[in-house]
Amino acid sequence: MQTDFLEDLRNHKLASIFLLAFCIVSSIEILAELYENKLLIWMSKPLILPLLMAFYLKRSRKINLFFVLALVSSWIANLLFIESGFHFIFYGVLFFLIYRILVIYIVLNKVKMPNSIPLVLGSLPFIFLYAIVTLYTYDTLGNNVYLFLLQGVFTIFLGGFSLGNFIMVSTKSNTLLLISTMFMAFNQFIFLLKFYFEEVNKLQSLAMVLFVLGQYLLTKYMFSTEKNKRYEVINNLTE
């Protein structure tokens, strides 16, 4: 028992170190985006998600392989997004789709809903936002609009699912999932705003703030739900 306690203490200290490094490197990356320092971006951005993953692996008591794969997919996508060429962006979007699908799979296995009504109601605000943004950016995006819409389908589903759960039962886990999903959704909208504003560096810096916070809150969500084998957000309503 003493050995287990010492091992837990060591893992906790390592997790704290990884989290501190994650915060420092993320701050450097955000500033690098703001001042358009490409060298600093390449030095800091590839380290953000590996540090978050190390934090998760050391802190978690029930490691979820799908979440690890999701972080890896998001990491590859972000490396591809550093470059501005169409092929890099295209493959980056594909890997980010894999990330989104894996997150949805994780959430569906942690949350059980009795029917689709909360999902439909929760999706309405996201559908409205995506419809408005698509109408205003269709001419600018051209054929790329289909990639944006494909991303939107999964974002709308996850957003509707998260919002529906939060409205029915506002637990800590639901709150973390909703805020994380909102941050990641607005991150996509900021990507489109870059076509209309000259100060792209400020928007890119803001996008990184939302991305870092979104990923960290999603990790906190994993911690808050791993205590139960299956987390049912509306179990009190179905009894």
Side-chain angles (χ1 to χ4, degrees):
M1 183 177 294
Q2 185 177 2
T3 303
D4 292 338
F5 173 78
L6 292 175
E7 182 67 19
D8 289 341
L9 183 62
R10 188 177 71 87
N11 287 337
H12 183 76
K13 288 183 177 180
L14 284 174
S16 299
I17 293 173
F18 285 132
L19 180 59
L20 178 60
F22 167 77
C23 294
I24 293 173
V25 173
S26 297
S27 299
I28 293 173
E29 156 61 15
I30 292 167
L31 290 174
E33 295 287 357
L34 183 62
Y35 293 103
E36 300 181 276
N37 189 322
K38 200 73 172 180
L39 176 61
L40 203 55
I41 290 173
W42 271 109
M43 291 175 61
S44 57
K45 196 169 188 177
L47 297 176
I48 292 177
L49 289 182
L51 287 171
L52 184 63
M53 189 187 307
F55 167 67
Y56 170 74
L57 292 174
K58 286 299 178 182
R59 185 72 180 273
S60 176
R61 294 184 179 275
K62 294 182 180 179
I63 295 173
N64 189 310
L65 178 60
F66 291 102
F67 183 65
V68 175
L69 292 175
L71 289 178
V72 171
S73 298
S74 182
W75 175 68
I76 296 174
N78 273 277
L79 292 183
L80 292 169
F81 285 147
I82 294 177
E83 297 295 335
S84 56
F86 173 77
H87 287 90
F88 290 102
I89 294 176
F90 176 79
Y91 288 112
V93 169
L94 289 182
F95 274 100
F96 201 75
L97 277 175
I98 295 173
Y99 159 81
R100 186 74 71 186
I101 292 170
L102 288 170
V103 170
I104 290 174
Y105 176 81
I106 292 169
V107 172
L108 289 178
N109 278 274
K110 288 181 175 293
V111 177
K112 182 179 180 180
M113 301 180 70
N115 54 61
S116 59
I117 294 178
L119 172 63
V120 173
L121 294 178
S123 299
L124 293 179
F126 291 91
I127 293 174
F128 176 78
L129 285 173
Y130 266 89
I132 294 297
V133 171
T134 303
L135 288 175
Y136 278 96
T137 59
Y138 180 81
D139 292 336
T140 303
L141 290 175
N143 292 331
N144 294 331
V145 72
Y146 299 110
L147 287 175
F148 175 71
L149 290 176
L150 185 60
Q151 282 273 15
V153 169
F154 293 100
T155 303
I156 289 170
F157 180 87
L158 183 59
F161 200 89
S162 305
L163 182 57
N165 287 332
F166 177 78
I167 291 174
M168 297 186 71
V169 181
S170 55
T171 61
K172 177 183 177 181
S173 297
N174 290 342
T175 303
L176 289 170
L177 180 61
L178 176 61
I179 298 176
S180 172
T181 303
M182 293 290 289
F183 282 164
M184 299 301 285
F186 283 120
N187 180 286
Q188 286 185 272
F189 296 144
I190 289 176
F191 175 79
L192 295 178
L193 288 176
K194 291 190 292 185
F195 291 106
Y196 298 93
F197 290 88
E198 295 181 358
E199 298 180 340
V200 177
N201 57 321
K202 293 182 179 180
L203 290 175
Q204 185 62 30
S205 181
L206 176 58
M208 280 306 302
V209 171
L210 295 176
F211 174 80
V212 168
L213 290 175
Q215 294 285 20
Y216 173 70
L217 290 176
L218 184 62
T219 305
K220 295 288 288 184
Y221 168 79
M222 296 298 296
F223 292 149
S224 69
T225 59
E226 67 181 12
K227 295 179 181 179
N228 300 321
K229 184 177 181 180
R230 185 170 181 81
Y231 181 69
E232 300 186 5
V233 293
I234 43 108
N235 54 351
N236 292 329
L237 297 180
T238 56
E239 290 180 353

